[in-house]
């Protein structure tokens, strides 16, 4: 990576307040322009590397990814910076590269500290882009984004996370309203959804035959029945303590079993977790929040109301000879 300089005074890289953390996307506007200020076309990846160096990001920070896992946080933020400044006419972005314009050079003079969305709004092209993607939103919403530290994609991820948290709470609330027998069957259904067991009928008969001795269900680990997993289900609101895990471990030993799954709608005490890690049988503990997430992931007790896709430009298509 190299920093490019012109005959004029180069941009300063010494006064960053984000030296130990990932900067918000608006804070990357000016450093991105500084990385390309000599006017030559620069590959976006080289410019991104310059921004990372400017903020003195650690390797861990450079590799930190969005919740979706599809892109790193810093690349996502610098990509949005490129998009916003391109719409405002501060940069050109031909084929995976980036180049400063005269308007971009003027922005460096106008904004010696930080270039922001508010500054970009003086340009008609940017206002049209910015307004069109906010149809039917309020002025307050627009003002909030001007001060926002996260990109639109990150805002969507945060909103999605909130929806999931609300759905998880609703699932656990509905489970608590059901009978213990319903919950025991739910646990078997979840294991089947996850790919365990042979058939619903086999799992159902196993549940009915083993509803004593600290075991609520039995399911095959695979469709051939080469190994068996014993299940315990506790539809509780209070914390599950060590005595319950001891009872389950004893039941496994009595059956000559080596694997068990203990699922609760609440949580496990530290003592319970420590004990489960020490016993010879392999016992997996699943708490309420994990149970809800698994139900969401495997489509049990939930239905899809709306699907959104986030797409990006396929650079391979446009770079094909």
């Amino acid at each position: 990576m190299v920093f490019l300089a012109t005959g004029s005074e180069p941009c300063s890289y010494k006064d960053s307040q984000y030296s130990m953390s990932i900067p918000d996307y608006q804070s990357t506007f000016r450093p991105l322009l500084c990385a390309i200020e000599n006017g030559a076309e620069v590959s976006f990846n080289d410019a991104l590397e310059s921004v990372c160096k400017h903020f003195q990001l650690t390797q861990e920070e450079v590799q930190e990814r969005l919740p979706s896992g599809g892109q790193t946080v810093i690349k996502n933020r610098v990509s949005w910076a490129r998009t916003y400044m391109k719409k405002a006419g501060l940069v050109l972005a031909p084929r995976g590269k980036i180049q400063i314009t005269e308007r971009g050079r003027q922005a460096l003079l106008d904004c010696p500290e930080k270039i922001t969305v508010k500054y970009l709004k003086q340009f008609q092209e940017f206002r049209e882009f910015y307004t069109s993607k906010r149809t039917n939103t309020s002025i307050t919403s627009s003002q909030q984004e001007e001060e926002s530290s996260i990109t639109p994609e990150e805002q969507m991820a945060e909103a999605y996370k909130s929806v999931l948290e609300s759905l998880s709470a609703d699932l656990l609330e509905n489970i608590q309203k059901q009978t213990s027998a319903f919950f025991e069957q739910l646990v078997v259904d979840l294991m089947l959804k996850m790919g365990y067991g042979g058939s619903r009928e086999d799992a159902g008969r196993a549940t009915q035959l083993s509803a004593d001795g600290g075991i609520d269900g039995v399911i095959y680990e695979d469709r051939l029945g080469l190994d068996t997993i014993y299940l315990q289900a506790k539809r509780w609101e209070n914390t599950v303590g060590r005595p319950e895990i001891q009872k389950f471990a004893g039941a496994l030993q009595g059956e000559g079993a080596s694997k068990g799954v203990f699922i609760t709608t609440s949580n496990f005490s530290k003592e319970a977790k420590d004990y489960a890690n020490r016993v010879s049988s392999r016992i997996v503990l699943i708490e309420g929040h994990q149970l809800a997430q698994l139900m969401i992931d495997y489509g049990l007790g939930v239905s899809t109301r709306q699907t959104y896709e986030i797409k990006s430009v396929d650079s391979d298509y446009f770079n094909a000879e």
Side-chain angles (χ1 to χ4, degrees), residues 95-96 312-321:
R95 283 195 168 193
S312 58
V313 173
D314 182 354
S315 57
D316 290 339
Y317 175 83
F318 290 100
N319 289 332
E321 295 298 332

Side-chain angles (χ1 to χ4, degrees), residues 86-107:
K86 178 182 176 183
K87 295 297 182 180
L90 274 62
V91 302
L92 301 174
R95 283 195 168 193
K97 297 184 180 295
I98 184 169
Q99 184 177 24
I100 197 169
T101 64
E102 286 303 318
R103 186 178 287 181
R105 288 196 180 91
Q106 186 59 48

